[in-house]
Amino acid sequence: MIRDKCDQDSVDSIINQGYPVNSEALDELLSWTCDPNWPIAASIYGYFVRLGEKEVQRVLSLADRADEGWRYSLITNLIAQYSDAIVEMCTDHLQRWAKQPGSDECDFESLRVLSERKLLSDTEIKEIAHKNVQTYQLWIEETLQVCDVSGE
């Protein structure tokens, strides 16, 4: 068991057991990535990138359940680091997250990955971005109305 955010020895021990022997500890490993600034997070991200296709579904499942800040770090520090073939397996999830404007920048990062990897057509990317912009505009208008701020 990992004792704290600096317990690199325990992380290394779990990783060194090898896959799939260490599969019972993989959820615990991932749980220590909730803050990407923790010293042990980088090596855990790296390990899951190397596991790739073997554990991508575990990562996607966690990202679906995670709060938006954690999901953002999983997208940027893990999913975006996968090979093209593995990122392609994440397309449905990335699309869903991209269509959730205001989700702690998960929408922007998901769109960026989808666009960079050419997993959606330019037209599809544009449609998602356009819908998100409309949502942001509505939020701004409503905020200004609530604050009774005129556009003058």
Side-chain angles (χ1 to χ4, degrees):
M1 294 300 216
I2 300 169
R3 293 183 308 273
D4 59 48
K5 64 185 178 183
C6 297
D7 188 7
Q8 189 64 53
D9 289 340
S10 293
V11 170
D12 292 342
S13 176
I14 292 169
I15 291 171
N16 290 336
Q17 288 175 7
Y19 184 85
V21 173
N22 63 3
S23 59
E24 288 185 23
L26 295 182
D27 287 333
E28 181 183 4
L29 275 181
L30 276 176
S31 75
W32 288 95
T33 64
C34 63
D35 185 334
N37 298 311
W38 287 349
I40 60 174
S43 61
I44 297 169
Y45 286 133
Y47 182 61
F48 275 87
V49 168
R50 290 188 304 277
L51 287 175
E53 186 176 348
K54 296 174 195 165
E55 288 296 330
V56 67
Q57 293 308 316
R58 182 187 306 262
V59 170
L60 293 172
S61 176
L62 172 62
D64 277 337
R65 300 187 313 273
D67 65 36
E68 292 167 348
W70 191 1
R71 180 180 302 147
Y72 174 82
S73 69
L74 289 168
I75 293 168
T76 58
N77 294 301
L78 183 50
I79 295 169
Q81 307 308 312
Y82 283 139
S83 69
D84 288 345
I86 297 169
V87 171
E88 191 170 344
M89 297 170 68
C90 304
T91 301
D92 290 343
H93 288 79
L94 290 166
Q95 256 187 293
R96 187 173 61 250
W97 301 330
K99 293 176 182 179
Q100 298 173 359
S103 57
D104 205 20
E105 299 186 19
C106 294
D107 52 340
F108 297 126
E109 283 304 314
S110 296
L111 271 176
R112 183 186 61 77
V113 173
L114 290 164
S115 177
E116 286 178 355
R117 303 293 181 103
K118 306 281 188 223
L119 295 171
L120 294 179
S121 70
D122 291 343
T123 302
E124 290 172 300
I125 294 287
K126 184 178 177 180
E127 286 174 9
I128 292 170
H130 182 70
K131 286 179 184 175
N132 289 359
V133 166
Q134 288 176 326
T135 301
Y136 285 123
Q137 283 179 311
L138 180 62
W139 288 346
I140 291 167
E141 289 171 11
E142 289 176 352
T143 302
L144 291 174
Q145 288 173 358
V146 167
C147 297
D148 195 31
V149 176
S150 67
E152 300 171 17

